[in-house]
Amino acid sequence: MNDLTFKLYSPLTAELVCHDPEDWCADEVLAFDGRAIVENEAEILAQIEQEGDHLEQYLDTESDSYLAAHVKSIVVSVEKRNGSLCGCATVVVDEDLTKRGWKELKDYLSGQYSDGWGEGFEQRDIQIAEGILNVHFWQPENDAATASA
């Protein structure tokens, strides 16, 4: 059987800390959604590349045995969808996942975004023209990724 590739999307949010006292947002922390950070895609992708983008390396063969057996790669990036910048996990598997496997994959990604890879990533300062941007892949009100083939 041929490998299958899926993309799982998640909403992004970010905070901007302005560093120019003359700027419109001096000394403020501003919250943004994915629509407001579309223009920062290149900077965010560069930080992802620097941070490391392969999440399959963190699969535990004991606790994640089903996923470890079937998932070949999970590469994190961002993509524009419907005018908004979204987190994107491109997943390659050796066969279509079972219903339970899809749930395990979404739970795994949610865990990586909230406590694993994403927790470190959101603490990395991404320098943009207006100041420092910190990007969040995990949202407490929406922790399930949506899939697209």
Side-chain angles (χ1 to χ4, degrees), residues 4-12 45 48 53-56 71 73-79 81 86-93 102 105-106 108-110 112-113 117 137 144-149:
L4 300 171
T5 302
F6 300 95
K7 291 186 177 188
L8 288 98
Y9 296 95
S10 58
L12 294 178
L45 283 170
I48 290 171
D53 58 0
H54 284 268
L55 299 187
E56 76 279 357
V71 172
S73 72
I74 303 172
V75 178
V76 178
S77 64
V78 292
E79 288 186 10
R81 287 181 54 96
C86 296
C88 177
T90 301
V91 182
V92 178
V93 295
W102 274 103
L105 177 61
K106 288 180 179 184
Y108 175 76
L109 285 173
S110 181
Q112 282 298 324
Y113 289 164
W117 178 91
F137 276 72
T146 56
S148 175

Side-chain angles (χ1 to χ4, degrees), residues 4 29 34 39 86 130 140 145:
L4 300 171
V29 176
E39 65 188 41
C86 296
E130 296 84 5

